[in-house]
Amino acid sequence: MGREPITETICGLTVTSSPLPFARAQELLPDIANLFSLIIKEMGGISDLKGTDDIVKLAPILGSVAGFLVGGNLERLAPKILAATEVIMADNRGDKLKYKLDTEKDRISVFDEHPEAYLMILLFAGRVTFARFFPASVLTAGEVKAA
């Protein structure tokens, strides 16, 4: 896996994410590793998550890491993880527009319209970058798909 962008359809949206540059990813790595270790602990091992393609299947994990995501951690980390991610979404006239999730305005526009896509897109963007750091893990298993 290189630095090429990856495009997937998530909750009906066309989402393209590029791996963050090493220096930016390295800055986030302690938090991601901490979160990853909580997930592994909750699920009893990495192999238990292989093939997870449904947000409903992730519910037990989300419950176990909710404590990590409070206190501003989610608000602090999500924009950084989404910094190299774009969404193609129709506006209210039906014209398809590109939204760059590195701006707060575009994140709000996309997730106000599609809150169900928030965690799925966040997971996808995280996998695009951090699968390079954890190559034999759940981060490289399958694709992120809408429920």
Side-chain angles (χ1 to χ4, degrees), residues 41-63:
K41 179 180 175 188
E42 172 65 24
M43 296 307 293
I46 291 175
S47 64
D48 292 337
L49 290 175
K50 292 220 183 262
T52 298
D53 61 0
D54 187 331
I55 194 71
V56 174
K57 294 177 187 174
L58 296 175
I61 298 167
L62 294 175

Side-chain angles (χ1 to χ4, degrees), residues 66-147:
F68 177 81
L69 298 177
V70 297
N73 280 332
L74 182 61
E75 293 87 353
R76 177 178 58 83
L77 292 173
K80 294 177 182 181
I81 293 169
L82 294 170
T85 303
E86 301 175 348
V87 172
I88 304 293
M89 182 177 80
D91 66 6
N92 56 5
R93 294 181 309 228
D95 297 328
K96 294 194 180 230
L97 302 175
K98 183 184 291 186
Y99 295 84
K100 296 184 175 201
L101 300 184
D102 62 344
T103 68
E104 183 175 10
K105 179 180 177 246
D106 281 4
R107 282 192 309 277
I108 289 170
S109 293
V110 170
F111 298 125
D112 269 352
E113 280 296 314
H114 296 279
E116 74 282 4
Y118 180 64
L119 293 176
M120 299 295 289
I121 292 173
L122 187 60
L123 177 61
F124 170 66
R127 286 174 67 179
V128 168
T129 291
F130 294 103
R132 299 182 308 151
F133 290 89
F134 304 99
S137 72
V138 64
L139 294 175
T140 59
E143 299 174 350
V144 178
K145 296 182 181 160

